[in-house]
Amino acid sequence: MKVPRYSPLPVLARAVRWRVFAPAFVALALVAGTTASIAAPTAALAAPGDDGRLAVLLFYKSNFHASHVQARQAVRDLATQLGTQYNLPVDIQETEDPAAFTTVNLATKDAVVFAQTGGVLFDAAQRSALEAYIRGGGGYMGMHYAGWSVGQSEHDVNPFYYRLVGAVSEGHPENPGVRPGRVFVPDTSHPLTQGVTASITRSDEWYDWVVNPAPNVRTLIEADESSYGGGANGSPHPITWCQKIDSGRSWYTAMGHEGSAYSEAYMRAQMKNGLAYAAGLLSADCSPPPPPAGVPVRYEFEEGTGTVGANSGSLGSIGSAVLTGTTGWSTNGILGKAVNLPGGSTANAVDLPDNLLQNAANFTVGFWVRPDTKSNWTSMFHIGDGLGGTGSYFHIQMQTQVSGNTGLAASFKAKTGPEERVYANPVRDVVANQWNHVAFTRQGSTGTLYLNGAAIASRSDLTVTMTGIGSTANNWLGRNGYGDAAFDGLIDDVRVYTSSALNGSQVTAMYNEGSAVRYTFNENTGTAAGNSGAKASIGAAALQGATSWAAGRFGSAVNLPGGAASSGNQVRLPDNIQAGLTNQFAVSFWARPDTLPNWVPLLQIGSSTDTFFLLQSGTNSGTTGFGATFKAAGNPAQERLTLGSGRDLPLNQWTHVVFTMNGSTGKIYFNGVLQGTRTNFPIGIGNVGVGGTTTANFIGGTSWGDPRFDGLIDDFRLYGYELSAEHVTQLYSGRR
């Protein structure tokens, strides 16, 4: 069906023309409780081998790496080998002209190969053709520089390209840039690692990822950062991976800086598999790693009253946690509520069940902590017999003093013999007055310590086991069996996997569940609202104009009085609040409007009327209801998802509002229920701002001349990933 083109609107509501999509882009009306989508066009693709040949589009750029010459030769050689192996003639179209990216031409190809491409690559029509080709069943293979973005690159202007490659790098260790490093195959049984040496040390340029792709791709080869030094991602550090994108396939390796790499047997083995997969000749499971299985023991601390924290894990026989002394509750957890440990007497703690982790050979412990103060040797998690130095234990402590300050550490001690510790060098530790996620995994003799989703230390020669520690009746949060200072602060969401060591991407997934930015608006005084989220460096929000406080959905809320744009009645959010967000994010808040003028803003993240992300009510003078809009700098098009006439926030009652985005798909939820979906957003949060900088971020305000929001806003949260429907429901129900 056709999408109407709207005539210019009055100046305060801005002149907006809806983008008119080709017939294959269908806009569906959005109604409550249904998922309406705008589908991307698909090309009619020939399955590999259907036309009796192996057809490859080999795309390169000659102005970034001289090694494009050797990379292309390797692709030609490997395509010839695959043609012989599968009894197919080979047809390679080799070009650096993006004009080859048309729907008609791509429909004849089994795979596209990007050999050392860089910069901005395509125009809008070429981007659309590539996306339709991949989503419709085509294959992509990328090498090294295709994942690099310093200055402006295709990643910055084309969210789908970022998704296609899987990650973006803006740096790597220097001096020297090319250095020896160890790479290894985490799953030697995977079809795309067959013939690839399980572990090898080789020289290359080792990209760091702006956002670690491990949770979203199937990692085929990892880099061991400790082998070359200076890496910024920790473990896991994917270096070669594959993905499934709708019906299409993607394979990428960050290795291959120097031309000599492409004559290595190691590189050619992985590249041959990657080309076979991209072309559809070799089947493989390229789904991302599954999230952690059901948690055996989990204390969410959502009770908020009494002295018992229930075990909501799958092992119900392992009982509840008990608050002791004057330990209490807080509504300001990283995920909903938390326990509040006051420090002082060691009687102020949380008592965990006896014999937790007894005889466990492989296990994981993860939890969130927000210390108010820090002291030497303070335990956050302790399993032991309560006898201190004469007894046995496993515990995780802050500010350990092994040889000077050694910071965060995990320690094991049997009833006889010395302690064995895992800690970072240089020192890493939890930080006071902000949320920190701590995790420790034990796999046999190997223990790995994580802080905020990244591995900071590992040791492979541990000899003290949980069996050696024996029975334990003094298991606590917030204290240990010594006389060390009790923990002072908040602890939330303690998880114990009693028989499995999570991998790095699973630990990262646990960390990512925390809100990066959170304004609870519980101050109820002054003009500053503190950020209690995991990214403490993104500071406080400021109440401006006549904005004040009122009773909220939870505690207090900000009271925005509306008014003209000139009133400045809004909440000013910090500059660059979206820093680090690219193809995934989510926002969540509660809103209670008194009135809803046309185009009234609830949230803006942006820099001006030329670039922004907006959540608004009364869009298109109310004819299209509630909406989410993106605009990239210098591009006149505004890209929207709207709910339709009459689909907006109700007046004088609280509504929980969530917007999520993953790649090109955006979703709007009210009160835990999905209201609308758009699947072909051409831009996203990574395109907002000027050079990634935003300086006009508001709750209840905007850079436009529209009226300010009139009503209450409470509990604003910003996440660096797409919330699942279940997570949204839990937020609405108050469980997170």
Side-chain angles (χ1 to χ4, degrees):
M1 70 183 191
K2 292 184 178 179
V3 179
R5 182 187 295 266
Y6 290 89
S7 59
L9 297 167
V11 63
L12 286 184
R14 79 198 56 88
V16 175
R17 290 184 184 267
W18 277 69
R19 181 178 178 184
V20 179
F21 299 99
F25 287 79
V26 181
L28 301 179
L30 305 175
V31 296
T34 63
T35 303
S37 62
I38 304 174
T42 58
L45 299 175
D50 282 1
D51 55 0
R53 65 193 182 113
L54 171 60
V56 175
L57 174 57
L58 178 51
F59 183 53
Y60 66 96
K61 288 295 178 181
S62 58
N63 56 329
F64 295 106
H65 270 265
S67 60
H68 74 88
V69 175
Q70 294 92 333
R72 289 157 51 203
Q73 183 61 55
V75 171
R76 290 193 296 268
D77 293 345
L78 296 171
T80 299
Q81 292 176 25
L82 290 172
T84 301
Q85 180 178 341
Y86 290 93
N87 194 27
L88 295 170
V90 175
D91 178 7
I92 298 179
Q93 180 185 1
E94 193 167 354
T95 182
E96 60 178 319
D97 186 352
F101 287 80
T102 66
T103 300
V104 172
N105 189 44
L106 291 174
T108 68
K109 307 303 180 190
D110 297 309
V112 293
V113 179
F114 284 40
Q116 305 296 37
T117 55
V120 176
L121 299 172
F122 304 117
D123 64 22
Q126 292 156 357
R127 289 176 188 132
S128 179
L130 175 62
E131 180 171 355
Y133 165 73
I134 295 295
R135 292 190 185 278
Y140 166 86
M141 176 183 183
M143 284 173 283
H144 190 60
Y145 206 82
W148 182 257
S149 179
V150 168
Q152 192 173 56
S153 75
E154 189 68 17
H155 305 81
D156 302 312
V157 296
N158 182 1
F160 177 75
Y161 183 76
Y162 186 111
R163 167 80 192 283
L164 180 62
V165 177
V168 62
S169 177
E170 296 179 353
H172 54 76
E174 298 277 12
N175 301 318
V178 175
R179 59 178 70 187
R182 174 180 170 266
V183 290
F184 63 94
V185 175
D187 181 4
T188 56
S189 65
H190 195 276
L192 301 189
T193 60
Q194 300 309 295
V196 180
T197 305
S199 176
I200 191 172
T201 296
R202 55 179 305 280
S203 290
D204 218 311
E205 190 176 61
W206 304 104
Y207 283 176
D208 289 316
W209 307 116
V210 173
V211 177
N212 193 321
N216 303 313
V217 300
R218 176 57 59 95
T219 299
L220 302 172
I221 301 174
E222 292 183 27
D224 177 4
E225 289 187 357
S226 66
S227 67
Y228 58 83
N233 289 132
S235 176
H237 184 134
I239 208 74
T240 300
W241 58 76
C242 63
Q243 301 179 74
K244 191 85 168 128
I245 301 176
D246 291 347
S247 297
R249 302 163 302 280
S250 169
W251 181 96
Y252 171 80
T253 184
M255 291 181 277
H257 175 78
E258 295 186 303
S260 58
Y262 296 97
S263 62
E264 296 176 22
Y266 179 86
M267 281 288 291
R268 288 204 167 204
Q270 63 160 326
M271 286 175 60
K272 182 179 178 182
N273 291 341
L275 180 57
Y277 172 72
L281 299 173
L282 179 59
S283 297
D285 179 4
C286 286
S287 58
V295 186
V297 180
R298 185 177 185 186
Y299 301 107
E300 299 180 72
F301 298 124
E302 293 300 299
E303 290 78 8
T305 185
T307 60
V308 175
N311 170 20
S312 61
S314 58
L315 288 181
S317 58
I318 297 177
S320 301
V322 178
L323 283 62
T324 62
T326 59
T327 300
W329 301 92
S330 171
T331 59
N332 295 326
I334 191 72
L335 302 171
K337 303 179 183 69
V339 287
N340 186 354
L341 295 108
S345 169
T346 55
N348 302 326
V350 176
D351 189 36
L352 300 175
D354 294 350
N355 297 320
L356 182 62
L357 288 177
Q358 187 173 19
N359 298 322
N362 308 313
F363 65 88
T364 301
V365 173
F367 53 89
W368 288 90
V369 293
R370 192 179 194 276
D372 293 332
T373 59
K374 290 179 60 181
S375 302
N376 292 346
W377 300 104
T378 292
S379 282
M380 295 167 285
F381 182 93
H382 177 87
I383 301 291
D385 58 13
L387 300 177
T390 62
S392 58
Y393 50 80
F394 156 61
H395 58 197
I396 301 175
Q397 296 168 286
M398 68 172 69
Q399 216 161 280
T400 56
Q401 303 292 311
V402 179
S403 177
N405 180 27
T406 44
L408 183 67
S411 304
F412 293 85
K413 185 183 180 301
K415 295 192 187 303
T416 60
E419 286 182 301
E420 295 179 338
R421 286 195 178 87
V422 182
Y423 55 87
N425 184 16
V427 174
R428 299 287 301 280
D429 208 346
V430 296
V431 177
N433 300 310
Q434 71 182 58
W435 281 105
N436 309 259
H437 188 258
V438 178
F440 181 81
T441 66
R442 177 80 182 254
Q443 179 78 35
S445 62
T446 299
T448 304
L449 185 61
Y450 294 83
L451 181 60
N452 294 332
I456 61 169
S458 188
R459 178 173 173 176
S460 60
D461 61 348
L462 294 172
T463 62
V464 178
T465 65
M466 296 308 298
T467 299
I469 289 170
S471 62
T472 57
N474 291 284
N475 303 329
W476 297 297
L477 301 177
R479 63 164 292 190
N480 57 34
Y482 291 89
D484 300 318
F487 178 81
D488 174 18
L490 306 182
I491 296 182
D492 195 9
D493 196 36
V494 177
R495 308 186 194 189
V496 182
Y497 295 80
T498 54
S499 60
S500 61
L502 301 187
N503 62 34
S505 60
Q506 291 170 322
V507 172
T508 300
M510 272 201 292
Y511 167 67
N512 282 340
E513 289 189 39
S515 52
V517 179
R518 185 180 182 190
Y519 299 106
T520 61
F521 299 124
N522 283 341
E523 288 80 4
N524 207 27
T525 185
T527 60
N531 169 24
S532 60
K535 283 193 174 180
S537 58
I538 296 175
L543 281 62
Q544 295 184 327
T547 303
S548 60
W549 305 93
R553 181 68 176 79
F554 309 100
S556 62
V558 285
N559 185 359
L560 296 120
S566 59
S567 70
N569 296 332
Q570 58 204 12
V571 176
R572 177 74 161 79
L573 300 174
D575 292 351
N576 305 320
I577 193 172
Q578 87 304 339
L581 304 182
T582 51
N583 65 334
Q584 287 196 47
F585 81 107
V587 293
S588 162
F589 55 88
W590 289 83
R592 190 182 189 276
D594 295 329
T595 61
L596 285 177
N598 291 333
W599 298 104
V600 65
L602 284 87
L603 171 68
Q604 174 176 297
I605 297 174
S607 289
S608 65
T609 57
D610 187 44
T611 176
F612 52 79
F613 163 64
L614 266 169
L615 292 179
Q616 291 169 292
S617 286
T619 59
N620 283 317
S621 298
T623 62
T624 53
F626 189 89
T629 308
F630 291 90
K631 186 179 185 303
N635 186 337
Q638 296 187 25
E639 301 293 344
R640 281 203 182 90
L641 164 62
T642 53
L643 299 185
S645 180
R647 301 293 305 150
D648 215 325
L649 300 176
L651 299 180
N652 303 311
Q653 67 185 64
W654 285 105
T655 300
H656 183 235
V657 180
V658 172
F659 178 83
T660 72
M661 173 163 271
N662 188 344
S664 60
T665 298
K667 299 177 182 179
I668 296 172
Y669 296 81
F670 287 169
N671 291 339
V673 177
L674 179 64
Q675 303 293 312
T677 298
R678 177 176 171 179
T679 61
N680 68 335
F681 270 107
I683 58 176
I685 195 68
N687 305 106
V688 169
V690 178
T693 298
T694 60
T695 55
N697 303 324
F698 307 105
I699 292 174
T702 176
S703 298
W704 296 93
D706 301 318
R708 275 16 190 185
F709 179 79
D710 178 8
L712 307 180
I713 299 287
D714 199 4
D715 196 22
F716 174 86
R717 309 187 194 196
L718 173 65
Y719 298 83
Y721 63 102
E722 178 191 24
L723 300 183
S724 67
E726 179 185 14
H727 194 159
V728 172
T729 300
Q730 290 178 331
L731 279 173
Y732 169 62
S733 66
R735 288 191 60 239
R736 287 175 177 266

